[in-house]
Amino acid sequence: MINRAEHRSLGVAAAPAKVHAYLADASNLPSWAPAFASSVSLSGASWLVSRDGAEFAIDVLADQRSGTVDFVAAGDHARGLFARVLPNGSGSEVVFTLMFEPDAPEGVVAARTLTLETELAAVRDACG
C-alpha cells in the first residue's frame, strides 16, 4: 500500500550550501524543530533526540551534492522527515516531505503539516 505524502516548501534568502549545512547539523534541530526535539546529542553514528521525557535515535542522512537531508528513524530509514534544498534564484527553496498512513486522520495530517510550515519558517529565519 502506498502512503500519503505531504510536501511543504518555502523560499529562503540564502545560498543552498548555507541552508543545507544548517539542516545537516542535527545540533540545530531544537532551534528549528522544537516540537520534535527539545534536545539532541550525538551517540555513535546516530543522534539521540529528547522530547517530553522520551528519548529515541535518529540518523541524519545528508548529501550536499544532491541537496538532501533526511531525518529518519535509526532502525527504519523509510520513516522520518525528508528534506531537499534546491537552488531558487539567488537563494534556496526548502522542501519538507512527510509520509502518512493512508488512513491517517485528517486532524493529525493537518496538525503535522502546520508544524512543517512553522519549521520551514524557522529555517528561513535562521538562514536568511
Side-chain angles (χ1 to χ4, degrees), residues 25-114:
D25 182 351
S27 68
N28 291 322
L29 271 169
S31 297
W32 63 266
F36 174 71
S38 54
S39 67
V40 296
S41 60
L42 189 59
S43 177
S46 297
W47 288 84
L48 288 180
V49 175
S50 296
R51 179 187 70 215
D52 299 331
E55 201 170 63
F56 52 94
I58 65 166
D59 291 334
V60 179
L61 310 176
D63 181 62
Q64 198 274 331
R65 282 185 41 209
S66 64
T68 58
V69 185
D70 298 336
F71 303 90
V72 293
D76 182 0
H77 287 183
R79 291 184 326 129
L81 171 70
F82 302 90
R84 181 95 191 251
V85 181
L86 306 163
N88 181 353
S90 61
S92 304
E93 190 73 17
V94 181
V95 181
F96 284 173
T97 300
L98 274 180
M99 303 295 181
F100 296 90
E101 294 293 325
D103 59 350
E106 285 302 317
V108 170
V109 174
R112 290 193 182 154
T113 54
L114 181 60

